[in-house]
Amino acid sequence: MAQLKAVSLNSSISLASYGPRRNTFSNPDNLIFSRKLSSFLELSGKSSSLHGHAIVSNNGSIPITPKNQGIQAVLSSNTGTEDSKATNGGGLRGKLNKVVLAYSGGLDTSVIVPWLRENYGCEVVCFTADVGQGIKELDGLEEKAKASGACQLVVKDLKEEFVRDYIFPCLRAGAIYERKYLLGTSMARPVIAKAMVDVAREVGADAVSHGCTGKGNDQVRFELTFFALNPDLNVVAPWREWDITGREDAIEYAKKHNVPVPVTKKSIYSRDRNLWHLSHEGDILEDPANEPKKDMYMMSVDPEDAPDQPEYVEIGIDSGIPVSLNGKALTPASLLAELNEIGGRHGIGRIDLVENRLVGMKSRGVYETPGGTILFNAVRELETLTLDRETIQVKDSLALKYAELVYAGRWFDPLRESMDAFMEKITETTTGSVTLKLYKGSVSVTGRTSPYSLYREDISSFESGDIYNQADAAGFIRLYGLPMRVRAMLKKGI
């Protein structure tokens, strides 16, 4: 009999469980169990903890609809006997109890599942974060995880959290890495890794694992988050341990372990997509002299093919955080998604960057950030009204370090958190709206307004005014230029 006990999970979680060992959930919002039962399904724990009513059906569908919505669990009809035998003893490299794996459903992570079981004798919980990469990348994950030998699949919708708690703080800080990069992948990794730590706690896992290579930045970003949030967790990075060296080796390993090989056509580019951006690396891009192919881009049209008429958008901002589009209040994720559509059709937000990776090498990437580019310009422009000269200079200098910390995976570093507190304080009055014109790849600011504007037309006007006396400038210039005057006098022997 399958048993469901209580474990604390967020209301935005979707879980699919396989095999004989069942994990438990407290206060789930919506559960659907699918299994053909000859007699009944036993739900252990007090029914009141579910805050809903279970309807047991021999047809395999058992909906529980409590006061909130959002969680879904599916129990497999498989007994999982073979899985149990495989994890009773130790593996080739040691023994772990249960590992939470960052899972995409692609070839690499599908192969990691049996590799973990074989080498560490453990159960594998596959975890997938929805950070806006698109529904196509989430399709069929349950079947793929099951076929790979996972005991459970957990999917969390992190889009709102990602934009609200990671993207918008970076936007407020003005964080940009090496003059161009708006940190799309860098911001996504800590929110995913944090969720993995949460899931590890909820399912009782003693380890986490990722499919990052030993050459990139992402391995650092994941593992620094693991260290910061739960230093007791073991971390397994197969690409730094196994003998698999490429796609063909991975396919051979998958066939050997009866793991269905994904039949999707492999892209010639290495891509990473989330709600903020889409990155492209590899193939002809590895030579910095090569121009990217026109058909490579996916989020934006070629500026040459963009509409011949400009489009105007108005961004509402409250304390440095975008809150509305064209006068309509939107959630963070909805606001960004709409701007991606608008910016994409005007060819906004394309950059071609040779960057310095954290691990020491240079790499070339092409990034599409249509909505993010619009927002970055809007927030920065509003600050020209609300911040004074020295505040802008200090903020800009700190933004460089802030971006460096985020790029390096130090999101949970006390230094970044302290800098973020400064950014939050200094932008308290960065409230108002900015109007921008989008035209064939360019973003032009056409208007800005704020109730906290430091701009005074009666002072700045070329017309005479009572506040600013132009005659006062003479004394100011003499005092301000005194050091230069003294140095010149010294050279002339005066």
Side-chain angles (χ1 to χ4, degrees), residues 318-319 385-387 428-432 449-455:
D318 185 4
S319 298
L385 290 182
T386 62
L387 302 182
E428 283 180 338
T429 59
T430 302
T431 296
T449 180
S450 171
Y452 303 103
S453 176
L454 300 177
Y455 178 89

Side-chain angles (χ1 to χ4, degrees), residues 293-491:
K293 293 181 179 179
K294 188 172 182 177
D295 62 0
M296 179 191 74
Y297 296 93
M298 301 174 67
M299 287 184 74
S300 59
V301 303
D302 192 310
E304 295 176 356
D305 301 325
D308 292 330
Q309 295 299 319
E311 182 171 357
Y312 291 83
V313 293
E314 181 186 8
I315 309 297
I317 299 168
D318 185 4
S319 298
I321 300 296
V323 294
S324 67
L325 172 60
N326 296 329
K328 180 182 177 182
L330 295 169
T331 67
S334 298
L335 174 61
L336 180 55
E338 287 204 26
L339 281 174
N340 280 336
E341 290 291 331
I342 296 171
R345 66 173 173 257
H346 289 279
I348 305 297
R350 294 182 172 190
I351 65 164
D352 187 334
L353 171 68
V354 175
E355 67 192 74
N356 290 291
R357 283 185 178 175
L358 182 62
V359 292
M361 69 181 73
K362 285 185 180 289
S363 66
R364 192 257 188 113
V366 176
Y367 301 92
E368 297 178 76
T369 318
T373 299
I374 295 170
L375 291 176
F376 189 85
N377 278 274
V379 173
R380 183 173 58 184
E381 191 62 30
L382 188 60
E383 289 178 349
T384 65
L385 290 182
T386 62
L387 302 182
D388 61 70
R389 177 179 57 203
E390 293 207 16
T391 300
I392 289 178
Q393 291 173 353
V394 171
K395 183 176 182 294
D396 286 351
S397 67
L398 290 176
L400 295 174
K401 185 62 178 178
Y402 192 107
E404 181 185 330
L405 292 172
V406 175
Y407 185 84
R410 295 169 62 183
W411 184 268
F412 295 99
D413 190 303
L415 177 57
R416 189 213 62 86
E417 294 173 338
S418 299
M419 293 173 69
D420 197 56
F422 168 81
M423 297 299 181
E424 182 177 6
K425 177 64 179 177
I426 214 68
T427 57
E428 283 180 338
T429 59
T430 302
T431 296
S433 65
V434 177
T435 302
L436 308 105
K437 180 171 72 172
L438 314 179
Y439 182 68
K440 291 190 177 294
S442 68
V443 181
S444 305
V445 177
T446 61
R448 71 288 277 165
T449 180
S450 171
Y452 303 103
S453 176
L454 300 177
Y455 178 89
R456 289 281 299 266
E457 186 176 354
D458 57 345
I459 297 177
S460 302
S461 173
F462 286 106
E463 302 296 329
S464 298
D466 296 331
I467 299 177
Y468 189 97
N469 186 343
Q470 297 189 44
D472 293 340
F476 167 76
I477 295 171
R478 282 196 297 270
L479 293 176
Y480 185 72
L482 185 59
M484 298 177 69
R485 190 177 181 185
V486 170
R487 185 175 296 277
M489 292 169 64
L490 177 64
K491 288 182 179 180

Side-chain angles (χ1 to χ4, degrees), residues 177-178 181 183 185-187 189-190 210-225 240 281 353-365 367 403-410:
Y177 182 72
E178 294 192 340
Y181 180 42
L183 300 167
T185 302
S186 310
M187 295 184 292
R189 296 308 181 236
H210 60 74
C212 306
T213 72
K215 281 189 172 183
N217 299 314
D218 282 346
Q219 57 181 337
V220 182
R221 295 164 180 159
F222 272 104
E223 294 180 35
L224 290 190
T225 301
R240 302 200 299 255
E281 293 180 336
L353 171 68
V354 175
E355 67 192 74
N356 290 291
R357 283 185 178 175
L358 182 62
V359 292
M361 69 181 73
K362 285 185 180 289
S363 66
R364 192 257 188 113
Y367 301 92
E404 181 185 330
L405 292 172
V406 175
Y407 185 84
R410 295 169 62 183

Side-chain angles (χ1 to χ4, degrees), residues 9 18-19 67 75 131 142 149 175 212-213 231 267 292 408 422 439:
L9 286 178
Y18 312 103
K67 58 185 179 182
L75 300 185
V131 288
E142 179 186 327
C212 306
T213 72
S267 170
F422 168 81
Y439 182 68

Side-chain angles (χ1 to χ4, degrees), residues 33 94 156 221 238 251 363 473 493:
F33 308 96
K156 282 193 178 186
R221 295 164 180 159
I251 291 174
S363 66

